[in-house]
Structure formats: C-alpha cells, structure tokens
Amino acid sequence: MESRSVPRPVLSLMLVVFGLTTGEFVIAGILPEVSADLAVSIPAAGRLVTAYALGMIIGAPLVTTVTARVPRRPLITGLITVSVLGNLASALAPGYGVLLASRFAAGLVVATFFAIAIATSVSMAPAGREASTVAKVALGMNLGIVLGTPIGTFVGQHLGWRSTFAAIAAFTVMALALVLRYVPAGPPAATGSVRGELRVFAGRDVQLAIALTAVGNVGVVTVFTYIAPLLTDVSGFTEDAVPVLLLVYGAGAVIGNLLGGRLADRALMPSLTGLLAALAVVLGLFWAAAESRALTATFTFAIGALAFAIIPGMQTRVLATAGAAPTLAVAVNAAGFQVAAAFAGWLGGRVIADGPGLRSLPLTGALLTAAGLAIAVHSLRRDRRPAKTRSQSPTLDM
C-alpha cells in the first residue's frame, strides 16, 4: 500500500468508475447514429445526455439516503447491477422513449457509487495519502473521457450504437467481478436516522465545500463545453485538429489529477487555493492569446491539467468536513457538479447568443473561477481560526 502503484481494491473501483464515465459521455460521440436509427432530431438525441445527468442529480441524495444502511458489498453489487441493466436496456431499447428512460435509470446510481468508491478507498488509504487515493479513483473518470469515449464511439460507428452500450455493460460486469474479489466487505455507510444523515448539511464547512466544487468548476466547464468552436472559430484550427487537441486536454487531465492528489495530501486548502488561482490566470491568458494557435495548444493542456488537479482536493475537502455522513455528502457533491455543468452549458449559450460572444468565454470562465477562489480563500481563513471561535458559530459565520 505504500508504493506508488495502484492497489488492487482501488484499481477495481477505478475500473467501474471508468465504465460509468464512458456510459455518461459516449452518447455524444454516437449521436448521429442514434438520431438516424431512431428517426429523431440531433437535439432530441442530445437530451439523452440530459437524462443521464438528471438521473445523477436526483439519485445522489435519494439513492444514497435510501441505501445508507446497506452493507458495503451488497450495496456496491446492487448499484453496479442497476448500471449494467440500464446499459443493457439502452442496447435493446425499441424506441426513443425507452432509451431516454434507460439512460435516466443508468444515471440514478452513479453519484452514490462514486461516493461509496471514494469513501471505501479513503478508508483503506495510508495516513496522509487520502487525497492521492481519491485521485486514483478519479483517474477512472479521466480515462473514461480520454479513452472510453473515443473507443465507444469507434465501436458504435462500426458495429452500431447498440453495441456500444452492450460493450459498456459487459466491461462493467468484469469490473464488478474484480470489485467482489478485491474490495473487502464493510459496514453500512450510516447507522443513524435519515434526519441525522441530512443534518450534516447544516454545517457551514460542508456547505462551503460543496459550494466550492460547484462554483470552482463552473468556469472551466463553461469553456470546455464550447471548446470545439473556440478552437476552430477563434483560434483558427481546422476541425480535424480538434480531436488531437482534446487528447492534449485529456493528457493534461490525467497528469493534473494525479499531481493534484499529491498536492492535496501535503496541504489541502492551500493547494486548492493555489490551483484555483492558477486556473483563473490560465483561463485569462487563454482569452488574451486565443488567436495564437501555438499558445492555445499550450493553454489547452494547462487548462486540462488544472481543471482535474482541483478535483481530488475538492472531494477530500467534502470528506473531511462531512463528519458522520461522508458518503451522502460526496454523493450530493457529485450532483452539485452536474448542476454546475448544466448551468455552464446554459450560461455559455447566453454569453454567445446574447452577450459579448464566443471570444469572451475564456474570460467569463476566469471570472467564475475567481469566484470559486474566493470561497477557497474564505474556507482557508476559517481553518486558520481558533477551533473554539469556529465552534461558537458554525452555521452563522460566512
């Protein structure tokens, strides 16, 4: 466990996260095939992404609360089984309505599983290595975007889009077998009442931690949502160059994720504060130099690295502040990220259509990230206050 290699239990959980992430994002790559086969418009096919995200947002508090007293092994088995069935139902869906419902069902369990995976991995981590262990689990998300989505798209284009969902289901079943082999059994995430679980959200530090995730990510997600037109219409790249630059972004994401975990192990809130400040600066530089293709390529890598470097620390911060209900808090935190992503898509569209235009999106992202930085600075100052002072007004002082 002390080596830099990924322990088998953590690797098993990471592979499931890889499968779930691929299932979330791959639909973007096979939209034309789905649209043509089911005779629906591209915007209607795009709502399949929204259905999955809504499943995550609704399932985060609901599924996590309902299953809080289920022991770890049957809970993990049940959550993954629902995901597998959702993907199989997607592969066999006779029409658009069933496919929409199956994507929603598959998304219901994702936030809860992610929270269980993080809490389980942290419980097995050596002291002082919690954040880097979270980063290893979160690496499954990076790889799902960088590798899983292109592979799933290739499968869908050559074997049919239904084969993509069948392949995801088969892969997730294999990952489940590894989880059952290597992840030890454990007690339920909670033993108290539902009201007691929900009481954790009354704590100001938990509120700030979840707000930090939502606000700290919305700026960079706004930029990433519209990265393709930014690269082509503003920076002058050809459409053929976009997939290459997305791989550059993904390479930065993998490196940044692992680096961010190690930095958070050493100094959680100081490192998060520094990384958010760096992200705001890089987004601002991206805006200033967007017409330079060489600088844009460099900043694309840097944005990917910094965007994912902040994630392990944010997840660890939620765990550290949640106390008696860490699993529920992490699940709600994951849902908060989905809400931020949905808001980012809407906001970016408004900036482009009714605001200063596409060119200004990186600057908008920088300003939003600065708002997240303000929350991080405030949280850091709270941490440095005497414990007695903080305990006197835990929910009133902002």
Side-chain angles (χ1 to χ4, degrees):
M1 289 290 292
E2 292 296 327
S3 68
R4 292 292 184 185
S5 62
V6 182
R8 288 178 177 177
V10 176
L11 176 62
S12 303
L13 295 168
M14 184 188 77
L15 290 174
V16 177
V17 172
F18 171 85
L20 298 182
T21 302
T22 301
E24 176 180 3
F25 288 98
V26 75
I27 190 69
I30 56 176
L31 277 183
E33 288 75 18
V34 174
S35 173
D37 186 50
L38 298 181
V40 298
S41 66
I42 288 292
R47 285 195 283 274
L48 296 169
V49 178
T50 304
Y52 197 96
L54 284 175
M56 287 186 64
I57 293 169
I58 295 172
L62 179 62
V63 175
T64 306
T65 302
V66 169
T67 62
R69 278 155 287 284
V70 179
R72 180 190 299 163
R73 188 179 294 275
L75 175 56
I76 288 177
T77 302
L79 294 173
I80 298 176
T81 299
V82 171
S83 175
V84 169
L85 292 175
N87 282 300
L88 286 177
S90 299
L92 300 172
Y96 176 75
V98 175
L99 181 58
L100 194 70
S102 67
R103 300 319 298 153
F104 176 81
L108 275 173
V109 300
V110 173
T112 302
F113 176 82
F114 188 61
I116 291 290
I118 288 179
T120 300
S121 298
V122 167
S123 71
M124 297 183 291
R129 295 275 297 279
E130 292 85 0
S132 56
T133 300
V134 170
K136 291 171 182 175
V137 175
L139 181 61
M141 289 194 301
N142 306 148
L143 296 177
I145 297 171
V146 176
L147 294 178
T149 298
I151 292 172
T153 300
F154 179 84
V155 170
Q157 290 173 342
H158 290 81
L159 300 178
W161 65 268
R162 297 178 187 276
S163 298
T164 297
F165 291 117
I168 292 170
F171 178 88
T172 308
V173 168
M174 292 187 289
L176 172 59
L178 293 176
V179 169
L180 296 178
R181 171 67 177 85
Y182 293 114
V183 176
T191 57
S193 66
V194 172
R195 180 177 296 179
E197 288 285 295
L198 295 175
R199 193 176 295 128
V200 69
F201 297 110
R204 182 48 53 94
D205 287 334
V206 175
Q207 295 169 2
L208 287 171
I210 294 174
L212 177 60
T213 295
V215 180
N217 281 288
V218 71
V220 71
V221 174
T222 300
V223 172
F224 182 74
T225 300
Y226 296 94
I227 190 69
L230 278 169
L231 294 173
T232 56
D233 298 351
V234 177
S235 299
F237 286 99
T238 64
E239 291 185 0
D240 292 340
V242 173
V244 177
L245 289 167
L246 289 178
L247 286 175
V248 171
Y249 181 95
V254 172
I255 295 171
N257 176 67
L258 297 175
L259 178 62
R262 295 182 184 181
L263 290 173
D265 279 338
R266 296 179 181 179
L268 178 56
M269 287 310 300
S271 69
L272 259 180
T273 302
L275 290 169
L276 282 167
L279 179 57
V281 170
V282 169
L283 287 171
L285 292 173
F286 184 36
W287 166 75
E291 282 82 8
S292 169
R293 283 183 285 182
L295 289 176
T296 294
T298 302
F299 290 139
T300 298
F301 175 86
I303 291 169
L306 291 167
F308 281 83
I310 62 179
I311 290 177
M314 287 177 171
Q315 298 289 355
T316 304
R317 177 66 177 182
V318 172
L319 282 169
T321 58
T327 303
L328 179 59
V330 171
V332 170
N333 195 52
F337 183 88
Q338 292 296 319
V339 172
F343 176 74
W346 173 84
L347 176 65
R350 300 297 293 179
V351 170
I352 294 170
D354 303 319
L358 178 66
R359 176 68 175 77
S360 67
L361 274 187
L363 179 59
T364 303
L367 295 174
L368 292 169
T369 304
L373 173 61
I375 296 175
V377 170
H378 177 69
S379 298
L380 180 60
R381 289 176 175 173
R382 279 178 60 84
D383 288 351
R384 290 175 174 173
R385 288 169 52 187
K388 181 178 179 181
T389 302
R390 293 181 59 195
S391 64
Q392 289 174 347
S393 55
T395 61
L396 296 178
D397 175 40
M398 184 66 187

